[in-house]
Amino acid sequence: MGWKKAGFGRTKDGKEAFLYTITNSSGMQMQVSDFGATLVSVIVRDKTGRKIDVVQGYEDVQGYEEDTVFMGAIVGRCANRIGGASFELNGQLYELSRNDGNNCLHSGRDFYKGRIWNVEKVGEEEVRFFLSSPHMDQGFPGDVDIYVTYKLTEDGEVQIIYEASPGEDTVINMTNHSYFNLDGHDAGSVLEQKAWIDADKYMRNDEGSVPTGEVLSVAGTPLDFRTAKPLGRDIESSHEALKIGAGYDVNYVINGSGYREAASIESEKSGIKMSVFTDYPGVQLYTANFLAGEKGKDGAAYERRSSVCFEAQYAPDAVHHGNFESPVWKKGEMYCKRTGYRFSIVG
């Protein structure tokens, strides 16, 4: 149990990055970097007691600088897509970067994942990062002080706590974009791993993967994970959502409210189960449909569908849909959201 700090290489402009390792009393380990406030690894024991790193990532900061798929990234100021790369707030139009066709994805090109965050606190259980995002950063109004805390609990949960205080009305919707494989980061396909999602409804997307505003039932569709099933069982279905996303890339409306279990995934092979807890209204299920041999840790090459993401968040493009829970936060209103990935053995 404890923590340590090590060098993680230098960025292209010469800034030194660091890697922080937190270990709990059972030997579970979490590694995070101040470059992007990134989750670099989570090491847990499988059913035989062997230690496995279940998070895909890179060897050092250079890998994360060159990353184009958001490995382990903290995403903000607004995660996911904003249709038309613009929005109106308090009567004023704000233009954003068009980096996904005509849309803005993960707040444009000046991503939070490419910045060195300040380390506010580090201790036996947690690392707390700070980023000051000025007025019109990425095109969004208002200066925002942002804190992201990673905490490793004694019961095997990696908690991510987002806190932000806006200087004026603005959009805030933050998530973590880690890619998980419960057989190991370099183990290949995740399609046999069984997923469960506590959601009766999902958000329909247009051809550009932006929500149309329609909230539809999962019943009778291959998007229904209310009973656990292998990720690959229906992934080649002709359902429009699977065609648009080239696999699962779907935002689910999670049942209930407060900090609750939203989803889970488990591997029969390793015996590891990961339960996803959050107080966000939605979770984006993404089956790594566009990985294409990214060069990762330990000489690994991450191919298509070799991992899965559970991105807890407000709905994509929520700023344009009055029937979605709003990601607009008022001046001085405290933003505080929490997501947890809890690991256990099931077999």
Side-chain angles (χ1 to χ4, degrees):
M1 184 175 179
W3 69 277
K4 63 181 181 180
K5 174 183 177 182
F8 201 47
R10 290 188 178 273
T11 63
K12 292 173 183 175
D13 60 1
K15 294 177 182 174
E16 189 171 11
F18 292 95
L19 185 69
Y20 296 84
T21 303
I22 304 287
T23 306
N24 71 11
S25 60
S26 65
M28 181 178 167
Q29 199 172 82
M30 168 185 78
Q31 290 186 314
V32 294
S33 176
D34 55 359
F35 184 79
T38 301
L39 182 61
V40 173
S41 75
V42 175
I43 297 174
V44 297
R45 294 186 188 274
D46 70 3
K47 63 184 178 182
T48 69
R50 183 171 64 102
K51 289 185 175 181
I52 294 180
D53 184 355
V54 297
V55 173
Q56 292 184 336
Y58 304 104
E59 205 69 57
D60 53 29
V61 71
Q62 286 81 16
Y64 287 97
E65 268 197 301
E66 295 169 7
D67 165 83
T68 60
V69 295
F70 301 89
M71 287 278 178
I74 291 295
V75 182
R77 186 174 302 186
C78 185
N80 218 301
R81 291 173 174 87
I82 293 180
S86 65
F87 66 95
E88 189 173 306
L89 181 61
N90 297 336
Q92 185 165 339
L93 182 68
Y94 294 94
E95 299 281 354
L96 309 172
S97 295
R98 297 175 188 270
N99 65 327
D100 182 56
N102 192 45
N103 307 312
C104 180
L105 175 63
H106 296 326
S107 300
R109 294 181 180 87
D110 187 11
F111 304 113
Y112 285 179
K113 76 180 183 70
R115 309 182 193 185
I116 298 279
W117 291 52
N118 292 323
V119 176
E120 287 285 302
K121 177 185 177 183
V122 59
E124 298 291 310
E125 294 182 330
E126 64 185 37
V127 184
R128 189 174 196 234
F129 296 108
F130 170 75
L131 181 72
S132 178
S133 179
H135 175 61
M136 296 311 294
D137 188 11
Q138 304 169 314
F140 293 93
D143 59 285
V144 181
D145 288 338
I146 299 168
Y147 296 88
V148 171
T149 303
Y150 286 93
K151 183 176 182 178
L152 177 58
T153 70
E154 282 299 298
D155 62 354
E157 184 171 327
V158 174
Q159 286 189 5
I160 308 172
I161 302 158
Y162 308 93
E163 299 167 287
S165 179
E168 62 182 81
D169 295 0
T170 192
V171 174
I172 310 176
N173 180 18
M174 300 189 68
T175 195
N176 178 269
H177 205 297
S178 288
Y179 290 72
F180 296 98
N181 186 327
L182 300 187
D183 294 329
H185 74 96
D186 55 354
S189 174
V190 292
L191 295 186
E192 292 184 6
Q193 295 176 24
K194 289 184 177 180
W196 167 82
I197 303 174
D198 189 14
D200 300 325
K201 297 178 180 179
Y202 74 98
M203 293 175 171
R204 186 185 186 193
N205 287 341
D206 64 19
E207 290 294 329
S209 294
V210 176
T212 63
E214 297 168 274
V215 181
L216 305 179
S217 172
V218 301
T221 78
L223 309 184
D224 191 348
F225 283 92
R226 292 175 297 180
T227 299
K229 66 178 181 181
L231 284 169
R233 177 179 293 174
D234 301 318
I235 201 167
E236 300 299 343
S237 158
S238 60
H239 189 280
E240 67 166 6
L242 294 168
K243 292 297 185 184
I244 289 170
Y248 292 102
D249 193 6
V250 177
N251 190 71
Y252 286 87
V253 182
I254 302 302
N255 295 328
S257 60
Y259 193 67
R260 75 280 194 207
E261 187 175 8
S264 68
I265 187 163
E266 62 183 74
S267 166
E268 185 177 334
K269 179 180 176 182
S270 68
I272 297 171
K273 178 179 180 179
M274 182 181 80
S275 300
V276 182
F277 291 79
T278 191
D279 54 10
Y280 275 113
V283 169
Q284 186 95 4
L285 173 69
Y286 175 55
T287 45
N289 308 310
F290 296 102
L291 293 189
E294 272 72 21
K295 299 191 184 310
K297 297 176 281 190
D298 307 321
Y302 301 136
E303 302 293 349
R304 183 173 188 246
R305 298 177 181 167
S306 64
S307 52
V308 60
C309 305
F310 292 91
E311 304 159 62
Q313 58 187 0
Y314 288 104
D317 202 38
V319 74
H320 287 137
H321 300 283
N323 59 322
F324 294 178
E325 192 168 333
S326 177
V328 173
W329 290 77
K330 301 294 186 182
K331 175 181 178 179
E333 185 180 11
M334 192 66 186
Y335 179 97
C336 187
K337 291 292 175 182
R338 181 167 52 131
T339 296
Y341 301 103
R342 186 179 300 172
F343 295 87
S344 59
I345 296 297
V346 293

